Amino acid sequence: MRSDLLKEGYTRAPHRSLLRALGISDAEMKRPFVAVVNSASDYIPGHRHLREIGEAVKAGIRNAGGVPFEFNTIGVCDGLAMNHKGMKYSLCSRELIADSIEVMLTAHPLDAVVFVPNCDKIVPGMMLAACRLNLPCIFVSGGPMLPGEHNGTRFGLSEMFEAVGSYAAGKIDQQELDALERSACPGCGSCSGMYTANSMNCLTEALGMALPGNGSIPAVYGDRLALAKRAGEQVLKLLEEDLRPSCILTEKAFQNALRSEMALGCSTNSVLHLTAIAHEMGVPLDIDGIDAISRTTPQLCKLNPASQVFITDLNRVGGIPAVMKELSRKGMIHMDIPTVCGTVADRLAAAPEADGEIIRRLEDPFRQDGGIAVLKGNLAPEGAVVKQGAVAPEMMQHSGPARCFDSEEEATAAILGGKIQPGDVVVIRYEGPKGGPGMREMLTPTSALIGNGLGSSVALITDGRFSGATRGAAVGHVSPEAAAGGPIALIREGDTINVDITNRTLTLCISPEEMQARKEAWQPKEKELTGYLKRYARMVGSGSQGAVFSK
């Protein structure tokens, strides 16, 4: 066992003395040592209850004859970090999480790992570490939050952000805003819609790295604790079978995850993270491959923010296994590959049939193609992404004058100040991985557009990214980014931009000669950076390639 590096032989007597200081008994010295990597914290709602989840995991490890050792990682709450400098650190934290886990589990070699994430960058950060370490491991998330309710209508955090725009536009008063604020987030768990956290927890399950139910069982249900206990027990079986991430995270597994992503209508951030995880695992996956799967996978679910259907509703009708089972009817799912609990075929055998409403049948999908579309054109030669499953039909094709802003703050002030008109195309640039730096999420300006009643008449494009809570004609990850001299940096106020989601194109309507002349005249913007952001900006690559660090 790997932990023998800590406890076997006479040269490890000093090491064993330190372990005995922890209360490790003679019997435990002979058992497998299992890490529990937990992102619990006191001020992230999705993570506040993870100590209890961790205790259930440790109980499962002990049940199966292992010895658990728990440690914590950092985690950024994107909702709390939104629309200020803190959001520059959200995507950046993904690499720090992966690095810190690599440090801990190399310095202290244990035999297997249970990862306990819940939100946004923490899930992919832990997944990157799992790929690097390649130890037998399993994921169990903290589960989704229950939706809020106000005046008989269920809603989530996305509607709370949109309410700010409604208040600024005079559509609701302070009393209504306060009532919504007090109702939106009723308790612990990852925010209730198909936002990034729930997208990644669902896709971890689709990849085969978590037990069925990981993505959909609510945080407050007893079933969530039972799932955590089973995960702790199951990791000892993975150790016994020597089943590692390299065995599970194959090209076929990523294809299964992408099919599921398109059927579910996940967050655009999942494109960024799946690309990064595949890169870490050495699996070929690029934006063109994602686009090919999107074009041939129907969208079977329409979850909040695209509707009033929530993750809890998806759980009630069978969750991710039921979605994958429906896709498998037409051969869209690889059934013969391993997961942390048998093959994909094994886990889908017990799944219920699609209910026809929350999970539509293949013959009656919400869309014939996937919930996420990849756009290309002279404005995005390397690609851009949009959550087309949450776009109003009238905005699938839109042309209008560019309204250019070189930061999120400038754009937000213009939107809330009533300076954006129907028909405009809002351009937010220098917010990419290098230019931000950190590729901030743009939930505040997109929600302000919706709240102002402009969601069906204004498009937004950015080299930054979006929260999974964003809806509307919001195109992100425009690559190359402005800081790298990409075409988005060359747009001028009033230029006509054509956003054609139907035909998957993004076009700046100027001649090639004019484009070249602007490129030759372009000068990079200099930002005064310090600390980790300075290092991150120097090392990070294109958003079209997962915003991973350059080798």
Side-chain angles (χ1 to χ4, degrees), residues 44-62:
I44 303 179
H47 294 200
R48 183 181 60 81
H49 64 306
L50 292 190
R51 291 181 184 86
E52 187 178 12
I53 298 290
E55 289 301 317
V57 168
K58 288 190 283 187
I61 291 169
R62 293 188 186 99

Side-chain angles (χ1 to χ4, degrees), residues 24 74 95 115 134 170 212 243 256 285 305 313 383 462 496 511 516 547:
I24 300 300
I74 62 168
E95 318 312 310
F115 291 98
N134 201 31
L243 190 62
N256 281 356
L285 179 63
D313 302 312
T462 180
T496 298
S511 69
Q516 183 60 34

